[in-house]
């Protein structure tokens, strides 16, 4: 029994030593021994330096690109264009919010006014219009306040107050239009100044070389592009505001005619 146990131990020691020797022995390629380090060195690099550079360049954020272009375009010329964008967007967003809040369901309002006239008369209709937000309700209130003076005065009052409400709706659009015109002008001014600087550099050097004029031309192009982008963005907001105002004005006109018809009907049935 002891001999069998001793034999198994000897066989285990030999097996362990053979495995260790096999792991330490160099690899054989085409009859030649090659070390692990050499074999690893011969393997191609799956991530070469160029690929790493391309990956890093692709991962550059959009904000960082805009910031770099802003600095390359010279903040002295890009800052006024950026100010036009910020102020124009602020006014446009305020107008969009105000115009959306001014939108009224005219059919629903007319139905409430008609029910109020039938149940409580003109005073009840005034309470309905005063509790409703929007220019249409304000026009209705103004017309109902003139009901005691006759239908003709109601029509004149509605027309006059409609002009006032239309002026309120168009408030601020002139500033958006100003920034739409001003942003490209500032961009073109940066273009002209950049080109003047480029020609001054050519005159001072007495020779034309791409590296000499590239800086001024780059500033010129970047400021022009920035001004055009700002004008395009603000123009989209401006057109939306104009279309919204036209829609509200049409609703005001239709609702005013319907209000006069309701008051005439109420006066005849009274």
């Amino acid at each position: 029994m002891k001999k069998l146990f001793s034999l198994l131990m000897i066989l285990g020691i030999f097996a362990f030593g053979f495995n260790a020797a096999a792991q330490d022995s160099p690899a054989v390629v085409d009859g030649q021994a090659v070390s692990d380090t050499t074999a690893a060195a011969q393997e191609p690099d799956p991530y070469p330096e160029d690929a790493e550079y391309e990956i890093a360049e692709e991962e550059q954020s959009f904000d960082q690109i805009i910031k770099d272009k802003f600095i390359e375009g010279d903040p002295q010329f890009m800052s006024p264009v950026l100010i036009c964008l910020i102020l124009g967007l602020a006014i446009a967003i305020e107008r969009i919010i105000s115009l959306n809040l001014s939108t009224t369901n005219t059919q629903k309002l007319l139905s409430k006014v008609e029910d109020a006239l039938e149940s409580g008369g003109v005073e009840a209709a005034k309470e309905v219009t005063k509790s409703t937000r929007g220019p249409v309700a304000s026009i209705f209130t103004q017309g109902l306040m003139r009901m005691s003076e006759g239908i003709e005065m109601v029509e004149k009052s509605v027309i006059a107050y409609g002009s006032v409400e239309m002026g309120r709706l168009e408030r601020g659009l002139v500033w958006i239009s100003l920034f739409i015109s001003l942003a490209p002008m500032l961009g073109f001014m940066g273009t002209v100044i950049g080109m003047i600087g480029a020609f001054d550099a050519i005159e001072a050097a007495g020779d034309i070389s791409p590296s000499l004029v590239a800086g001024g031309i780059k500033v010129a192009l970047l400021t022009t592009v920035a001004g055009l982008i700002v004008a395009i963005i603000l123009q989209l907001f401006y057109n939306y505001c104009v279309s919204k105002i036209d829609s509200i004005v049409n609703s005001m006109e239709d609702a005013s005619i319907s209000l006069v018809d309701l008051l005439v009907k109420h006066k005849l049935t009274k």
Side-chain angles (χ1 to χ4, degrees):
M1 188 67 182
K2 291 182 179 181
K3 291 180 179 181
L4 180 60
F5 183 75
S6 300
L7 182 61
L8 292 174
M9 288 183 63
I10 293 171
L11 291 175
I13 291 171
F14 275 111
F16 180 79
F18 178 79
N19 291 332
Q23 292 177 357
D24 294 336
S25 63
V28 178
V29 179
D30 294 335
Q32 296 181 354
V34 181
S35 63
D36 293 339
T37 306
T38 306
Q42 290 179 352
E43 293 181 358
D45 188 1
Y47 301 101
E49 294 182 358
D50 295 339
E52 291 179 359
Y53 178 77
E54 291 177 358
I55 293 172
E57 190 175 14
E58 290 177 357
E59 291 178 353
Q60 191 176 15
S61 64
F62 179 75
D63 296 339
Q64 186 63 37
I65 294 173
I66 297 298
K67 187 185 297 183
D68 293 340
K69 295 302 180 183
F70 182 86
I71 295 172
E72 291 174 3
D74 194 346
Q76 182 180 357
F77 303 121
M78 300 288 279
S79 295
V81 178
L82 180 61
I83 292 172
C84 289
L85 176 62
I86 294 172
L87 294 178
L89 284 178
I91 297 173
I93 292 172
E94 186 273 333
R95 284 289 83 202
I96 290 172
I97 294 173
S98 178
L99 292 174
N100 283 302
L101 292 176
S102 299
T103 304
T104 307
N105 189 343
T106 56
Q107 296 299 325
K108 185 177 180 181
L109 180 60
L110 284 169
S111 178
K112 289 183 178 180
V113 170
E114 185 176 6
D115 294 339
L117 285 172
E118 293 177 355
S119 60
V122 176
E123 295 299 326
K126 286 182 185 179
E127 295 297 327
V128 172
T129 56
K130 288 180 180 179
S131 61
T132 304
R133 181 175 53 190
V136 176
S138 299
I139 292 173
F140 281 13
T141 303
Q142 193 70 20
L144 291 170
M145 291 175 64
R146 298 286 184 174
M147 182 61 184
S148 59
E149 300 177 15
I151 299 298
E152 292 183 359
M153 287 301 299
V154 171
E155 292 179 352
K156 292 180 180 179
S157 178
V158 166
I159 293 171
Y161 201 73
S163 300
V164 174
E165 288 294 333
M166 186 174 177
R168 291 178 180 175
L169 293 173
E170 293 178 346
R171 182 183 56 193
L173 291 185
V174 64
W175 293 106
I176 302 176
S177 179
L178 171 64
F179 294 130
I180 291 172
S181 302
L182 192 60
M185 291 181 184
L186 293 172
F188 291 145
M189 185 178 68
T191 299
V192 174
I193 294 174
M195 296 302 294
I196 291 173
F199 283 113
D200 287 341
I202 294 172
E203 183 181 6
D207 187 16
I208 298 177
S209 62
S211 60
L212 190 64
V213 299
I217 294 175
K218 189 173 185 179
V219 171
L221 295 176
L222 287 174
T223 54
T224 302
V225 170
L228 293 174
I229 290 174
V230 170
I232 291 170
I233 293 172
L234 294 180
Q235 186 68 54
L236 294 174
F237 282 96
Y238 178 83
N239 288 352
Y240 175 82
C241 291
V242 170
S243 64
K244 193 70 175 176
I245 290 171
D246 291 340
S247 177
I248 294 174
V249 170
N250 289 332
S251 297
M252 288 166 53
E253 292 176 352
D254 294 339
S256 299
I257 295 172
S258 299
L259 175 65
V260 173
D261 292 340
L262 284 178
L263 293 179
V264 171
K265 180 181 175 181
H266 174 72
K267 187 175 181 180
L268 291 176
T269 55
K270 184 179 178 182

